Amino acid sequence: MKALRTIRNYPVVAATVVVGLAVAALLGADLHTAAAWTASAYALLVAAVTAARMIRDILRGHWGLDILAVVAILSTVAVGEYIAALIIVLMLTGGEALEDYAAGRARGELDALLAKAPQAAHRLPPDGETPVDIPADDVVPGDVLLVKPAELVPVDGVLLSAQASFDESSLTGEPLPVGRTKGDKVMSGSVNGTGAALIRATETTADSQYQRIVALVREAAESKAPVVRLADRFAVPFTAFSLLLAGAAWLLTGNPVRFAEVLVLATPCPLLIAAPVAFMGGMSRSARNGIIVKGGATLQQLARARSIAFDKTGTLTYGRPELAAVEPAPAFAAEDVLRLAASAEQYSSHVLAAAVQNAARERGLQLSPAASASEYATNGVRAEVDGHTVLVGKRSFVAAEAPETPDGTGTRTHGGQLRVYVAVDGSFAGVLLLSDTPRPNARATLERLASLGLEPPVMLTGDGRASAESTAAALGIREVHAELLPEDKVRLVAALPGRPAVMVGDGVNDAPVLAAADVGIAMGARGSTAAGESADAVIVADDISKVADAVVIGRRTMQIALGSIWLGISLSVGLMLAAAFGFIPAVAGALIQELVDLAAILNALRALGGGRPSAVPKPGADLPARVGAAAPGPAQN
């Protein structure tokens, strides 16, 4: 069956093998003329089909490398080297099969992620006794699911069991099992440990973490690496050099066989196969390290990246702010302000909204549903709660209806605290102070990026100036732009002097700038779907150090892709020179060139290896300074 599948997938390769066997049989029967006519006719037929395709490509403006193979076939047939012609045909027709095999090896991590998509779930009925097996797509939020030992978690959920451990390596790249306790979130696609666990579904499969990753992986797997541009960069000069060298060898020796002997060693496989394999290997290595890169073009841009900008909340910080204090206005009680604000924030997708709700619940406050609610992107939320009009968000947003809202001076705010303003029925009600600390490895990541030669990092955030500058000072960032709208971020990234420019963010309001940057990287562990879809790469682990890993992998992949091309070209040129002086016969040259192709492809597969990138500089190294003024404007995150 496997042989039949191979024949069906690669019929021209199978036909070439059959013709080769027939020619060998004819030679064994001393029918040399018949063997020569059979091999030559078949080789010329393949050359004609290839030439027709090549002409169509040239008319579309793409100068390919097939001209070398076509001329090599014609010249070997013309001088009677029909065995060499058959070997060239096998190399030409077998290139696709060889590329598929090598690409299959290179994209192993991507294929493994696609193959592990959860298919089934064990749903517990209301009586909680015998679980019912259902397709994973039938799970709805609120379902209680049993996850057996060593099974995949089918959807995102909350752990109901007292404790459990999960292997999240396919999601985050973390090799060790992660312990969870009751109430913790559990990601779909993670593998349960040795004990059965109960979870309550919070998402459908389509909205779960693993399915989002699968969609990104499928997009990456189907993308085309920028190897056409790489191949074109070398195609014309390599073709011209090969034809000139072959012509010179013929002219100087007067022997047309030399022309054929040179050209059989001038095959394009290292250019056409090795580079795509290297890029696919780099994408697979990225996936193994918890980074989904959507295409080879992204790796190429990462390799050349010169400047980088970061969002703040959820990117440089954990994005899990905690309520530090409530400062009510004189006419309001602190608990009333917090309860109304948390009730309104139920209808907001902002990370601060979740923090306010959690703080209210921890204090035993009962949240009320809203009669109506509207979220104003990057500004705040307005809701009708218990007959009151409640506004929660930035000062400018709240002050538009409550002019007496203070500007924050003379308050108890400590550096780095986030201020969320609240108004009730048109009157200023108070301020919620929240703290969000930087990630412990954020500074080391920025130092590592500086050691890789990138320009000093820039912070672009919608948060207030005091909070932004406090976080930036802790991380050694000198250029801070605070209180930005999404369009402000797009404008500032476009103005970055070093190109290509990388933008790292996580929220819904980061989607425009992630799409506009040369390379957009989304923190996808808890980031929004919109950010992930707009970005060129998604970090599925909640680890900002992966940003530097992505740059390292991009550079190594590009080096290997170009190295594989130069390896193939160098070996081919050296062998062509030897053939020009008559040291390599045509048949031997065709066989040797197959080894050159194999060497270039094996070198390209090195992009798969290397494990986790780890060139982290020692802590404490000073970042290069760049002082910039903060851009004014309203914002939230």
Side-chain angles (χ1 to χ4, degrees), residues 4-45:
L4 290 175
R5 188 163 56 251
T6 302
I7 292 172
R8 185 169 61 251
N9 292 337
Y10 308 106
V12 182
V13 177
T16 305
V17 173
V18 170
V19 171
L21 293 174
V23 169
L26 291 171
L27 289 175
D30 285 334
L31 299 174
H32 294 275
T33 301
W37 276 101
T38 300
S40 299
Y42 178 73
L44 291 174
L45 175 63

Side-chain angles (χ1 to χ4, degrees), residues 118 145 383 505 513 539 577:
L145 306 176
V513 70
I539 296 173
L577 290 172

